C-alpha cells in the first residue's frame, strides 16, 4: 500500500502525529501490521498497550521526531492492524516487530513501551538482544517475572481471565462501557482521559475481531510467562532500562520488577498519573523518556 499522511483513523481526534509522518501496511509473520513512521536520526520504536492503539503516542512522536526516526506499529489484532485468528503470545508478536523493522530497513532501535507493549518489547529484546539500544517500559508487569503471581491476586486485574465467545457476546455493542471501566479505574483522575480519546479508541475496538483479539492478548499470559522464564534462563537483559510507573499506579514497583529481568535498571515515577501516562501527564512522560534516550 502506498505511504499516506496519518492524522488518526477514527472520527474523534486524539493528539495527531506530525503531518510529515507516513503510514504503511507491512505484511510480515503471517499478518499485516499498520505502522506510522517519520523523523530522522536514531530509531525509536513505540509500542502501545490494551485500551489504546499506536495513536496514544502522537505527542511522544512529535517530541522525538526532530532527532529520532520514530516507528509506531499497532500491535497484532489491535487498531488498524489485521485481526488474525492466533499468534497473540508475545514471542510471536516480537516476530511482528522484527518483521516491521526489517521491512523498513532498520537494524537497531530503542524501545519505548506501555502495558501489553512492555511484554511484546521484552520478548523482542530477549530474542534480539543485539538490536535493542535502550529500553523504556511503562506501567505494566511482565508475565512470569518477579512478583507476577502476587500481582495476579489483585482483584482489579480480573480482566486477565476474562475472554472467550460468551464474553465477546457480553461486550458486543457495549465496547465503550467495557473500555470505560479500564480508563476510569486505572486513572488517577478519570477526567484526564478525555471524551474525544474515549470515542476514538472505542470505535477502533468495535471493529470486527478487535475485542476477540484483545481478549486473546490476555489469554496468552500463561504462555508468555513460560516464554519469559526461558528467556531469563539464558540471562538477564544487559541493555540500559528505564522502568517508569504512574504515581497512582505501579510507581517504583516497575523498577523492582525489572531488576529481575535486566542488569542495568533505572526507576522513575510519572507524577500525578495513573496507568494512562500519555493521557494523564504527557509532558512529564515525554521529558523522562527524552532524557533517558539522550543519555545513550
Amino acid at each position: 500500500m502506498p505511504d499516506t499522511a496519518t492524522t488518526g483513523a477514527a472520527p474523534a481526534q486524539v493528539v495527531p502525529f506530525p503531518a510529515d509522518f507516513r503510514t504503511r501496511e507491512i505484511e510480515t509473520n503471517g499478518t499485516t501490521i499498520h505502522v506510522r513512521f517519520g523523523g530522522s536520526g536514531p530509531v525509536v520504536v513505540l509500542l502501545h498497550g490494551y485500551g489504546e492503539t499506536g495513536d496514544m503516542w502522537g505527542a511522544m512522536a512529535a517530541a522525538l521526531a526532530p532527532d529520532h526516526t520514530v516507528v509506531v506499529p499497532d500491535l497484532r489484532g489491535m487498531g488498524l492492524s489485521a485481526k488474525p485468528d492466533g499468534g497473540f503470545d508475545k514471542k510471536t508478536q516480537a516476530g511482528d516487530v522484527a518483521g516491521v523493522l526489517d521491512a523498513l530497513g532498520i537494524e537497531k532501535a530503542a524501545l519505548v513501551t506501555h502495558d501489553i507493549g512492555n511484554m511484546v518489547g521484552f520478548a523482542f529484546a530477549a530474542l534480539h538482544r543485539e538490536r535493542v539500544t535502550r529500553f523504556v517500559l511503562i506501567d505494566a508487569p511482565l508475565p512470569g517475572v518477579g512478583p507476577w503471581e502476587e500481582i495476579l491476586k489483585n482483584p482489579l486485574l480480573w480482566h486477565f481471565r476474562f475472554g472467550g465467545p460468551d464474553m465477546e457476546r457480553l461486550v458486543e455493542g457495549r465496547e465503550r462501557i467495557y473500555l470505560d471501566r479500564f480508563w476510569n479505574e486505572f486513572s488517577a483522575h478519570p477526567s484526564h482521559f478525555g471524551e474525544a480519546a474515549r470515542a476514538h479508541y472505542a470505535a477502533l475496538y468495535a471493529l470486527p475481531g478487535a475485542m476477540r483479539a484483545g481478549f486473546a492478548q490476555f489469554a496468552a499470559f500463561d504462555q508468555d510467562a513460560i516464554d519469559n522464564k526461558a528467556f531469563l534462563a539464558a540471562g538477564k537483559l544487559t541493555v540500559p532500562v528505564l522502568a517508569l510507573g504512574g504515581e497512582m499506579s505501579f510507581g517504583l514497583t516497575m523498577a523492582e520488577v525489572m531488576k529481575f529481568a535486566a542488569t542495568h535498571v533505572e526507576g522513575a515515577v510519572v507524577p500525578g498519573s495513573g496507568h494512562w501516562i500519555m493521557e494523564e501527564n504527557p509532558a512529564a512522560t515525554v521529558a523522562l523518556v527524552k532524557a533517558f534516550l539522550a543519555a545513550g
Side-chain angles (χ1 to χ4, degrees):
M1 177 176 291
D3 294 339
T4 58
T6 178
T7 58
Q13 187 64 58
V14 297
V15 176
F17 281 78
D20 59 350
F21 267 52
R22 294 175 288 166
T23 65
R24 189 169 155 191
E25 313 306 313
I26 294 177
E27 295 185 8
T28 183
N29 203 26
T31 191
T32 302
I33 302 297
H34 178 75
V35 184
R36 312 147 192 80
F37 60 100
S40 61
V43 179
V44 181
V45 177
L46 309 180
L47 299 178
H48 69 92
Y50 187 77
E52 295 180 299
T53 70
D55 291 339
M56 70 171 280
W57 294 118
M60 182 73 73
L64 294 178
D67 47 17
H68 293 85
T69 298
V70 183
V71 178
V72 188
D74 282 346
L75 297 180
R76 166 185 295 241
M78 301 168 83
L80 297 182
S81 288
K83 315 294 188 288
D85 291 335
F88 294 98
D89 63 281
K90 311 313 174 286
K91 184 176 179 180
T92 295
Q93 293 189 73
D96 299 346
V97 175
V100 165
L101 295 183
D102 291 345
L104 296 176
I106 295 168
E107 179 57 33
K108 296 185 182 225
L111 302 177
V112 178
T113 64
H114 179 247
D115 191 80
I116 296 287
N118 288 355
M119 305 172 191
V120 176
F122 178 72
F124 179 82
L127 288 165
H128 304 281
R129 298 178 187 232
E130 75 289 350
R131 300 188 73 169
V132 179
T133 57
R134 295 179 84 75
F135 192 180
V136 182
L137 301 96
I138 307 175
D139 212 71
L142 299 176
V145 174
W148 174 250
E149 294 300 326
E150 287 302 309
I151 290 170
L152 286 179
K153 295 176 183 177
N154 187 331
L156 285 175
L157 301 181
W158 58 263
H159 56 279
F160 283 9
R161 300 296 186 188
F162 185 82
D166 289 334
M167 287 68 169
E168 289 177 47
R169 290 170 55 223
L170 282 172
V171 299
E172 185 176 3
R174 306 177 183 89
E175 293 86 2
R176 170 64 186 268
I177 297 171
Y178 182 68
L179 291 166
D180 272 338
R181 177 259 165 178
F182 291 89
W183 300 326
N184 292 337
E185 291 192 10
F186 297 127
S187 294
H189 304 284
S191 62
H192 291 175
F193 203 113
E195 175 57 29
R198 290 174 188 244
H200 178 89
Y201 292 120
L204 289 169
Y205 278 84
L207 292 173
M211 266 303 169
R212 172 188 55 78
F215 291 148
Q217 297 280 359
F218 298 114
F221 281 179
D222 288 345
Q223 182 59 51
D224 298 335
I226 292 169
D227 292 337
N228 287 345
K229 290 175 181 177
F231 295 149
L232 292 181
K236 292 183 178 181
L237 300 183
T238 57
V239 64
V241 166
L242 174 61
L244 288 181
E247 181 182 10
M248 305 301 180
S249 188
F250 276 94
L252 289 174
T253 299
M254 274 301 303
E256 295 308 309
V257 169
M258 287 310 301
K259 287 174 183 176
F260 288 92
T263 58
H264 303 291
V265 178
E266 299 177 32
V269 172
V270 179
S273 181
H275 179 65
W276 309 104
I277 43 84
M278 289 304 296
E279 296 293 334
E280 299 187 72
N281 196 343
T285 306
V286 167
L288 287 162
V289 169
K290 286 190 70 175
F292 179 73
L293 294 177

